[in-house]
Amino acid sequence: MGINMQTVPYRTEQRVAAATAMLLLRPIAGLTGLWLNGWARDAAKARPMMTSDTHADDARLVRLIALQSRDAFEMLYDRYAGQVYGVAQRILEDRAASEEVTQETFLRLWRHAEQFDAARGNVRSWLLTIVHRMAIDALRRRRARRTLELDRDSGQNTLDGAGTAPEAEWDILDEEANVHEEAHLNISRQRVRQAIAGLPEPHRRVIELAFFSGLTHREIAERLGEPVGTVHSRARQAMLLLRQKLPEFGPEPGLDDA
Amino acid sequence: MTQEEKVTLYTLGALEAHEADELRLEIAESSQLKTQLARDRAMATLILASVEPVQPSPALKQRLLEQIDASLPATPPAASSPAAPAAGLRRIQRKPRNASAGPSFTRLRDERSQRAWPAWLFAGLSAVAAAVAVAVALLLAIRLQDAEQEATVLREQTAQLQRDAGVIQKALDAATARVIQLERDLDQAQATLAQTQQALAQSQSEAQRLTQDIATLRASISEREAALAQTQMEMSVLLQPNVRVATLPGIANAFRSATVTVFYAPQSTIAYVSVANLPPLPSDQTYQLWLINRNQRLPSSVFNTDASGVSRLIVRSTEPFSKFQNIGVTVEPAGGSETPNPAGPIVLGRL
């Protein structure tokens, strides 16, 4: 009986805590709002794309979002909307579709903030992975619809099943492995672009067709007129070469085999 | 396709949906694949983050926040808080137990003092008393256990409150850090503003200087234009057919070295006069030319000379120059006169 009793007061206390946090934060957040807009822009431009401070601060904001802090959500939105929307726009090349995907990404953050585990990855990585998956799914659906319309006369149906929930892969990540990798995310946008531009042409094309054109490995092979196996090994080699070009990542264990 | 290739294609988003589903199951069971996924995804994040950010329209943020607002509870959470802890406490309070036990026991004792008791009755009463004592002990034990449970609940509630307080404290720390940063940015912005104002002031004085320069240049241009017009006029006089030249000497003592040269055509009413070695006059005086024939001395142009004693002027007359025999120069009050200075001409000569 004593054990059961705690559930009701517990929830109440949590709500009181959330309300108090919001009451305390609202004026301060209001004050900082102006500055934050500028900050988000600066942060987007700043040479390191991310610092460990930002990571810690993001984790704090997500904890507050889990307590349903609208202000914390707004701060995080201001910080990453540009990057998230930029990725959507790059893939979908359509304003309305990109906005829809961006909106859905942030809504997922709002709904699943309490499940978010900072040890499994940082918020930016989470947001970018989600928006990438959703944009690619949207792109494939769009393409499939077009193909469907073309094939209607011949009676074929090429519409693939709906994309998988993008959060799904987050749950399978290993904490230890991630802590190791997160340390490398502090590399400038410029250097990453140079590294990609410096890949051999066939490798770069595989990466770009997969990443930004939403093609599957078979479609890439078809598009490039190469055997599927070649596409597979090029994708893998491309990742290894990028690691080589960005020495912050340290040696790749499988590099010698490649 | 090797497992490594599969994980990479998965990270790139290049697997088909069913392949991705299968691979996720495999990854979940292999720490080696997990490590590779984390590694590939870190690289994928870098690639995605290298895409140039594009700011979405403010309307998108508005829509999102409206959706967030709609998902928040309609009444503020604080409103229900006063009732809730009270309910909790009510649940923790216990009812008083078996209040009837005490009075019945007292009554027995009273009866015992009034008369002697048979042994069986005494033994029976002792057993009842022992049973009551055991019952009281049991009640006390139950009470103690309840108190312990209550203490546990309170401890857990306290711990939860401390955790919440920790979250709030962290949020406050973050907000404070941001305010400090904001102040720093404000200082910087003020410094920038001061610099900008200084630069603006400099630009303004520069602009003023330029405006002055332009005015000076304009004045100089109009001077040159006037000079050009003068020269053109002079040229037109000099280019007339039958142009003659008359040189008039200084005749007054102070003006002996003066030379006035008149270029004219007899049939024309316009002449060019070049003056040399006439000292400049004070501002209340002026030189005046006179056109002279047998009957009258007609007043003509007034002029003054520059510091080097030189002047050039175009002279117009109402009649052709062939009608005049002489030209003279007098010194007159500023503005000129209708009749010549009685002191007489300082320069005089024949046409």
Side-chain angles (χ1 to χ4, degrees):
Chain A
M1 176 183 169
I3 304 296
N4 289 341
M5 280 190 327
Q6 79 182 61
T7 55
V8 175
Y10 172 89
R11 202 167 282 161
T12 311
E13 302 310 303
Q14 200 179 33
R15 291 175 71 191
V16 172
T20 319
M22 282 163 79
L23 271 176
L24 286 170
L25 278 177
R26 196 173 288 278
I28 303 171
L31 257 178
T32 49
L34 258 179
W35 165 75
L36 272 174
N37 283 335
W39 187 90
R41 248 175 280 124
D42 291 349
K45 274 186 277 179
R47 281 132 268 120
M49 288 187 285
M50 171 131 190
T51 66
S52 54
D53 279 354
T54 318
H55 185 176
D57 191 46
D58 283 351
R60 213 169 289 154
L61 287 179
V62 174
R63 271 204 301 279
L64 285 168
I65 292 173
L67 293 171
Q68 300 204 308
S69 161
R70 186 185 190 273
D71 292 324
F73 178 80
E74 203 177 339
M75 287 182 196
L76 212 56
Y77 177 87
D78 287 340
R79 192 172 292 174
Y80 292 118
Q83 283 189 44
V84 168
Y85 183 72
V87 167
Q89 182 70 30
R90 168 84 192 266
I91 292 168
L92 291 167
E93 294 173 332
D94 173 87
R95 197 179 66 84
S98 302
E99 285 195 351
E100 197 182 318
V101 164
T102 304
Q103 179 172 339
E104 190 50 37
T105 301
F106 279 100
L107 277 179
R108 274 170 201 257
L109 174 69
W110 174 255
R111 290 188 200 121
H112 302 295
E114 56 195 22
Q115 293 159 20
F116 182 81
D117 183 355
R120 284 185 170 165
N122 66 45
V123 181
R124 184 183 64 155
S125 190
W126 190 87
L127 286 171
L128 291 179
T129 306
I130 302 286
V131 74
H132 180 231
R133 287 287 140 109
M134 293 210 301
I136 281 183
D137 281 349
L139 188 65
R140 285 184 186 168
R141 276 199 301 277
R142 187 160 78 192
R143 246 180 236 146
R145 264 198 306 279
R146 271 188 214 141
T147 316
L148 188 64
E149 281 159 19
L150 290 176
D151 292 348
R152 195 165 285 156
D153 295 338
S154 54
Q156 287 179 22
N157 186 347
T158 54
L159 193 62
D160 200 0
T164 49
E167 295 96 339
E169 70 171 275
W170 214 258
D171 303 331
I172 55 175
L173 266 183
D174 196 82
E175 295 183 11
E176 271 175 45
N178 235 358
V179 168
H180 174 70
E181 292 303 324
E182 295 289 339
H184 304 310
L185 290 176
N186 187 10
I187 300 176
S188 81
R189 187 171 290 143
Q190 192 54 33
R191 288 203 45 225
V192 177
R193 281 188 198 152
Q194 280 168 355
I196 297 171
L199 286 176
E201 177 67 15
H203 294 75
R204 195 175 55 75
R205 291 213 62 192
V206 168
I207 292 279
E208 284 183 350
L209 285 174
F211 230 56
F212 297 115
S213 304
L215 297 184
T216 67
H217 53 128
R218 293 194 182 85
E219 289 165 337
I220 296 172
E222 216 169 284
R223 172 81 63 94
L224 296 179
E226 304 269 10
V228 183
T230 308
V231 170
H232 295 168
S233 61
R234 277 195 190 143
R236 182 82 200 113
Q237 279 165 12
M239 291 301 247
L240 299 179
L241 284 170
L242 281 177
R243 292 182 78 94
Q244 268 184 326
K245 286 172 188 296
L246 299 167
E248 287 89 337
F249 273 97
E252 163 80 12
L255 202 62
D256 297 337
D257 310 336
Chain B
M1 178 162 37
T2 66
Q3 292 294 81
E4 286 82 16
E5 287 169 352
K6 230 189 253 180
V7 172
T8 296
L9 291 169
Y10 174 73
T11 320
L12 294 175
L15 286 187
E16 277 156 31
H18 68 95
E19 293 171 324
D21 290 341
E22 287 163 18
L23 182 66
R24 258 198 297 280
L25 295 177
E26 290 175 41
I27 293 174
E29 289 177 357
S30 157
S31 64
Q32 204 183 336
L33 291 181
K34 276 182 196 169
T35 308
Q36 201 209 320
L37 175 62
R39 199 170 271 152
D40 280 359
R41 178 146 54 192
M43 184 60 76
T45 299
L46 275 183
I47 297 173
L48 289 173
S50 76
V51 173
E52 194 60 36
V54 181
Q55 286 306 321
S57 75
L60 175 63
K61 181 175 173 183
Q62 199 56 40
R63 279 205 300 279
L64 249 176
L65 290 178
E66 275 164 17
Q67 279 186 277
I68 298 297
D69 288 339
S71 76
L72 284 170
T75 50
S80 62
S81 58
L89 285 178
R90 260 203 307 282
R91 281 161 179 270
I92 295 168
Q93 279 167 1
R94 296 245 150 256
K95 281 183 221 156
R97 283 174 188 269
N98 293 0
S100 61
S104 71
F105 187 62
T106 318
R107 197 166 58 244
L108 283 175
R109 286 185 76 133
D110 287 347
E111 287 168 9
R112 183 183 164 192
S113 65
Q114 286 172 4
R115 53 190 166 103
W117 293 85
W120 61 268
L121 188 59
F122 186 76
L125 284 176
S126 299
V128 169
V132 169
V134 168
V136 168
L138 269 174
L139 282 176
L140 282 175
I142 290 170
R143 195 62 212 260
L144 188 65
Q145 201 189 353
D146 281 353
E148 273 172 8
Q149 281 177 354
E150 281 163 21
T152 310
V153 170
L154 284 174
R155 268 199 299 275
E156 277 166 10
Q157 285 174 352
T158 309
Q160 182 57 39
L161 279 174
Q162 279 169 345
R163 279 196 290 276
D164 291 348
V167 172
I168 293 170
Q169 184 59 46
K170 277 178 193 158
L172 271 177
D173 289 350
T176 311
R178 269 187 220 116
V179 170
I180 291 169
Q181 180 65 39
L182 174 62
E183 280 168 357
R184 257 186 242 138
D185 287 1
L186 189 64
D187 285 349
Q188 246 174 23
Q190 277 169 342
T192 314
L193 185 65
Q195 276 175 2
T196 313
Q197 279 170 341
Q198 209 181 342
L200 186 66
Q202 273 175 2
S203 311
Q204 278 171 341
S205 66
E206 181 76 9
Q208 258 171 358
R209 255 207 318 280
L210 285 174
T211 313
Q212 281 169 356
D213 287 355
I214 289 171
T216 314
L217 285 173
R218 280 205 182 123
S220 147
I221 287 171
S222 49
E223 264 174 37
R224 274 152 210 260
E225 278 173 350
L228 183 65
Q230 169 87 11
T231 309
Q232 279 172 340
M233 190 63 87
E234 292 163 6
M235 288 298 292
S236 70
V237 172
L238 292 175
L239 290 174
Q240 292 176 108
N242 308 323
V243 169
R244 298 187 189 175
V245 180
T247 305
L248 319 177
I251 55 169
N253 277 336
F255 303 96
R256 285 279 176 207
S257 58
T259 317
V260 174
T261 312
V262 182
F263 302 84
Y264 69 101
Q267 76 281 4
S268 164
T269 60
I270 186 162
Y272 165 44
V273 177
S274 170
V275 179
N277 297 330
L278 265 183
L281 289 173
S283 60
D284 59 341
Q285 288 184 318
T286 183
Y287 292 113
Q288 186 164 15
L289 274 171
W290 298 88
L291 300 175
I292 305 165
N293 59 22
R294 278 185 197 89
N295 305 319
Q296 52 189 349
R297 288 170 291 192
L298 290 176
S300 182
S301 306
V302 295
F303 65 94
N304 203 349
T305 52
D306 63 17
S308 54
V310 168
S311 183
R312 289 156 52 186
L313 59 153
I314 295 292
V315 175
R316 289 165 203 279
S317 112
T318 50
E319 293 175 84
F321 279 90
S322 57
K323 303 273 185 196
F324 302 103
Q325 283 78 49
N326 296 299
I327 283 190
V329 176
T330 59
V331 174
E332 300 292 335
S337 309
E338 284 304 306
T339 53
N341 186 340
I346 54 164
V347 173
L348 184 66
R350 292 185 68 85
L351 279 177

